[in-house]
Amino acid sequence: MASITFIDQDGGKRTVEAEPGSTVMEAAIRNDVPGIEAECGGACSCATCHVYVDEAWTEAVGGPEPMEEDMLDFAYDVRPTSRLSCQIKVTPALDGLVVTTPERQG
């Protein structure tokens, strides 16, 4: 298992356990993490699972693939550390990962 901490825009933290091989988005959905909607179910076609990877983790997580970069164009308040959580595979190396959910438009 790998632990992932989600931080919301108000500073609230929620740490969940994730199975290696799953995605950060799947861990968020299983644990009802606010701010992760995942409307497309992880197909990299909606950008509603957008997160900011903590700067300490950006190298370990890696950068987005071209298809993900295209979808990030539709996300709100994209930053250099933006990723779609459906595209981040959980591995033992990501144990302790910290991500922040963006403020929702609305």
Side-chain angles (χ1 to χ4, degrees):
M1 293 295 250
S3 91
I4 301 170
T5 299
F6 293 86
I7 302 173
D8 64 32
Q9 287 298 302
D10 297 325
K13 294 181 181 180
R14 181 183 295 201
T15 300
V16 303
E17 294 297 315
E19 289 278 339
S22 67
T23 66
V24 171
M25 178 215 75
E26 289 167 335
I29 295 302
R30 274 192 217 104
N31 291 280
D32 297 318
V33 172
I36 304 291
E37 296 169 26
E39 290 174 7
C40 75
C44 195
S45 63
C46 74
T48 61
C49 68
H50 175 215
V51 295
Y52 304 119
V53 175
D54 185 274
E55 289 190 10
W57 287 94
T58 54
E59 191 173 317
V61 168
E65 295 291 321
M67 187 168 116
E68 180 182 354
E69 285 181 348
D70 289 346
M71 283 314 309
L72 281 167
D73 289 342
F74 298 100
Y76 178 70
D77 193 20
V78 174
R79 300 176 188 170
T81 59
S82 289
R83 290 291 311 269
L84 297 182
S85 60
C86 69
Q87 299 301 299
I88 303 172
K89 284 275 189 221
V90 176
T91 66
L94 295 184
D95 185 33
L97 175 65
V98 177
V99 298
T100 301
T101 57
E103 184 177 343
R104 289 291 161 210
Q105 303 177 234

